[in-house]
Amino acid sequence: MKRNPDSILNVLGRTGYLDDMPVAAGTLHAAPVLSPCAKGTFTGVDPSRALALDPSVRVFLAADIPGENQLGSAVMDEELLADGEWHFRGQVIALVLASSRALARRAAARVRLLGVVELEPVTDPRVAFARGDIILSPRTQRMGDTASAWKDCAVVAEGRVESAGQEHVYLETQGAYALPDDSGGVRVISGTQAPTAVQKIVARVLGLPMNLVEVETRRLGGAFGGKEDQASGWACLASLGAVLTGRPVKLYLNRRDDMTATGKRHPYSSDFKIGLAADGRILAFEADYYQNAGAATDLSPAILPRTLFHAAGAYHVPNVRVTGTMCRTNLVPFTAFRGFGGPQGLFVMECAIEKAARALGMHPSEVQRRNLLSEGDVFHYGMPAEDVRATDTVDRCLALSRWDELRAEIADHNRTHRSTKRGAALFPLCFGISFTKIMMNQGGALVHVYNDGSVGVSTGAIEMGQGVGRKIALVAASALGVPEASVRVESTRTTTVANTMPTAASTGSDINAMAAKAACDAITARLLDLAAERTGSDRDGLRIVEGTLRSGDADTGLSFRDLVALAHERRIDLSAHGFYATPGIHYDLAAEKGRPFRYHVYGCAAITATVDILRGSYRFDDAYIVHDIAGSIDPLVDMGQIEGAFAQGLGWAALEELAFDASGRLLSDTLSTYKLPDAHFMPRMRVELFEKPNPVAVANSKAVGEPPLMYGIAGYFAVLDALRAARPGAESFHDLPMTPEKAMRFLAEDAAGPGDGGGQGTEARP
Ligand code: LUZ
Ligand code: MOS
């Protein structure tokens, strides 16, 4: 295994990020003025105290926007600058510029709002739903007939499930650097996963055609979905400042402003009903998901269907009815976050299984194992399950963890220990790969072979630490037959590859490496035509391998470099554009049936935890993961993705507390009040790659970015399993994240206390 050259530069601190770029002379720095509470109106803005601070200070408001004051994509309901009213705390009201960042921030703090009226906010999605304050229409997917299935069930369990949001905590906060140019347009260096989306919205806000806006992204210091839709506003503010002043403008948020003003994972509140036969087979499942969408639509309409698609998890359920509703509240617009609604849906199914299994007197893992998907089962959205790897990965995980012995050891521990209890949980994974919006499954590439034989590859992919550049380089090198060291993956720009989709949905390399491969294949074909002519050999026997031309197994004595020089001499084009549109996917929205995913990723995690019964505190002991990686393009990169995603998922499930108070103020708005997973929190990890080629994706690989995050869900249930060993008769609670406070409350409650949902968060949670 070779090391990823980018990762060495990362570790050495040599890779450059937005804030490392040298700034041009005359650059102004920006700071936003944020709304002070969750809902309110104002009659005006008084900038005089800010302007008095320094002659370089400028203050811009909604009325200064030359184009449209609109950031929306699916629904036009999000203003760039609030105009007379605001809908969440942290909404941007004014843009302040000054000659230094510190000065801009001081000036922003001196901008005064006039005639402010605070209004009563709504923070709870069920309250919003009851008032009819929903976005678009609810969506329902069904298969079979749940209504007539209940009577055949030995057990029917119902319950309520809460799952809280999650802060992205990308290492690099949101930002952009906009440089005005002589065409009247701007060049924007943007910290975005979606340069084309930024280009389009900047153009809209400035009232320009898209060809006068160039967006470039070299790399991101993490994004995790937080920069899929929500980088646009910051790029717009910087661009607005640049166009209005004629000077370069840089905006780079501090951590508190970023946490206050940007979207996070959607909190959900859900109801389920599940029915099982006496042998543990799931016969029917129903759920209603109340998605807390926040104050604007953002990506919620793409996220909601991913919840519905993942409602039944890795299980075959013959009768399903699931309904999701986007509820508009006065919290920050919630947005894409690794998993994209999938984790929220999967958690509800696992809660339902947990409750029903206990009612049947079974361990949840027995019900999980009895209901795994198998070949040919049809998902409730009408797609047949193909190349199913559920049982294979679960069986390997059971073996890796010595599951049956492990459970016996845990039972033994629990019999002999009073002050600590142990628990274990399994989580079988099935996650669909493709953007839920069919149109988004496309991408382009532009490949140049320079006349010295070196190669430059541009695609729409954004490198954000996930190694997509490395994968594209490996695929391009192999398609051209050159060593990886001669391939450079370029910065992503809207002028080299246009109309790109966000690097998201785990599809970054599936789509962009495929497009790069198409371009490389086109150039290789031209070179081989020339080589056949030149050498007089049979065209079909010619290949370029590691920089040399071979005819059959024989070296021809011609190198890739010689061929390239010859082609250049002969006036043959050494550049090519490639394009890839994921084939075979379609979806009928009216019927809610189709084939939304190119394929699914499988896997299984087994996690153990130990709870301190006196303190309610817990620790995770071991995690055993078998992950369906298919044919890995780079096993080291993939291992990093699996471990990192699992840590992020375990953080969501059992550590991170995104806390808002009842007035809609984010309480966890710093890294001292928002706790992240660290090496002490994480269990010992044993990760095995399940390697079996996936013929429907590039180089037989499978997407890896998001699926392993879901393994964190097992952490919630491992702690719950241990808690139940302390109070076997008690009702479980389904209120993610698990926290020591909730564990303590469960342990302290007497058996007559509130049951399901009894631990529905602190009052600080919406
Ligand atoms: N982004 C998106 C995503 O726009 N559509 C998706 O389906 C998706 N899925 C996962 C993560 N981001
Ligand atoms: Mo996404 S959650 O930006 O893959």
Side-chain angles (χ1 to χ4, degrees), residues 228 299 302 306 336 339-340 431 434-437 440 502 504-506 706:
E228 181 178 338
L299 284 165
R306 191 169 281 281
F340 205 75
F431 193 78
S434 288
F435 285 96
T436 58
K437 201 168 160 190
M440 293 177 76
S506 307
E706 299 175 284

Side-chain angles (χ1 to χ4, degrees), residues 610-734:
T610 302
V611 176
D612 179 328
I613 296 306
L614 298 176
R615 296 189 177 89
S617 57
Y618 44 84
R619 63 156 205 268
F620 295 105
D621 301 315
D622 288 285
Y624 304 93
I625 292 174
V626 174
H627 185 75
D628 172 24
I629 202 67
S632 176
I633 296 174
D634 185 333
L636 270 183
V637 166
D638 287 340
M639 195 58 94
Q641 286 293 297
I642 295 167
E643 292 181 353
F646 168 56
Q648 204 163 29
L650 195 61
W652 173 63
L655 177 71
E656 299 174 37
E657 268 195 293
L658 186 73
F660 293 92
D661 71 13
S663 77
R665 191 168 86 88
L666 180 65
L667 300 172
S668 51
D669 66 352
T670 63
L671 294 181
S672 56
T673 51
Y674 188 81
K675 204 164 161 52
L676 288 171
D678 58 16
H680 298 287
F681 172 74
M682 294 304 291
R684 285 180 294 267
M685 280 186 269
R686 285 280 304 278
V687 179
E688 274 190 21
L689 302 180
F690 181 83
E691 292 174 289
K692 178 184 173 204
N694 174 33
V696 301
V698 63
N700 288 311
S701 68
K702 279 198 179 185
V704 69
E706 299 175 284
L709 180 137
M710 269 54 77
Y711 296 135
I713 290 171
Y716 183 93
F717 292 99
V719 175
L720 191 58
D721 194 47
L723 290 171
R724 293 189 56 98
R727 288 190 59 208
E731 279 281 330
S732 296
F733 60 99
H734 297 138

Side-chain angles (χ1 to χ4, degrees), residues 77 475 501:
D77 64 354
V475 168
M501 292 301 141

Side-chain angles (χ1 to χ4, degrees), residues 8 19 161 194 200 306 314 351 380 428 498 530 562 644 653 734:
I8 292 171
D19 204 36
V161 177
K200 181 166 189 157
R306 191 169 281 281
C351 291
H380 60 276
L530 177 65
D562 298 333
H734 297 138

Side-chain angles (χ1 to χ4, degrees), residues 371-503:
N371 289 281
L372 294 175
L373 279 163
S374 44
E375 201 69 22
D377 284 343
V378 175
F379 290 101
H380 60 276
Y381 44 90
M383 174 173 174
E386 288 161 5
D387 197 1
V388 176
R389 300 161 181 211
T391 305
D392 288 347
T393 49
V394 170
D395 284 351
R396 271 213 16 211
C397 186
L398 294 172
L400 178 67
S401 60
R402 302 177 304 116
W403 180 252
D404 293 327
E405 291 158 68
L406 188 62
R407 286 206 46 226
E409 286 162 21
I410 288 173
D412 217 41
H413 173 98
N414 291 342
R415 255 191 310 278
T416 51
H417 292 72
R418 266 163 43 106
S419 60
T420 63
K421 296 290 179 187
R422 299 192 62 204
L426 276 189
F427 177 79
L429 170 73
C430 171
F431 193 78
I433 301 299
S434 288
F435 285 96
T436 58
K437 201 168 160 190
I438 301 290
M439 181 281 279
M440 293 177 76
N441 295 283
Q442 56 173 315
L446 178 66
V447 173
H448 298 314
V449 175
Y450 295 98
N451 61 36
D452 67 350
S454 64
V455 179
V457 178
S458 297
T459 70
I462 301 294
E463 176 60 49
M464 45 189 134
Q466 87 281 43
V468 70
R470 160 80 169 174
K471 289 187 176 178
I472 289 169
L474 287 168
V475 168
S478 132
L480 287 169
V482 300
E484 191 212 339
S486 51
V487 178
R488 173 183 152 101
V489 175
E490 304 290 351
S491 183
T492 307
R493 297 170 194 237
T494 54
T495 43
T496 45
V497 181
N499 305 319
T500 60
M501 292 301 141
T503 299

Side-chain angles (χ1 to χ4, degrees), residues 577-599:
H577 172 73
F579 185 75
Y580 180 72
T582 311
I585 50 175
H586 53 85
Y587 199 70
D588 177 344
L589 260 178
E592 289 280 6
K593 295 279 180 194
R595 205 188 152 83
F597 300 120
R598 183 66 175 139
Y599 59 88

Side-chain angles (χ1 to χ4, degrees), residues 513-546:
M514 224 31 156
K517 182 176 181 306
C520 293
D521 286 346
I523 296 173
T524 302
R526 291 176 212 153
L527 293 177
L528 291 182
D529 286 345
L530 177 65
E533 180 198 318
R534 173 74 177 207
T535 60
S537 325
D538 174 25
R539 164 75 163 75
D540 294 341
L542 291 173
R543 285 177 309 140
I544 309 170
V545 181
E546 282 289 305

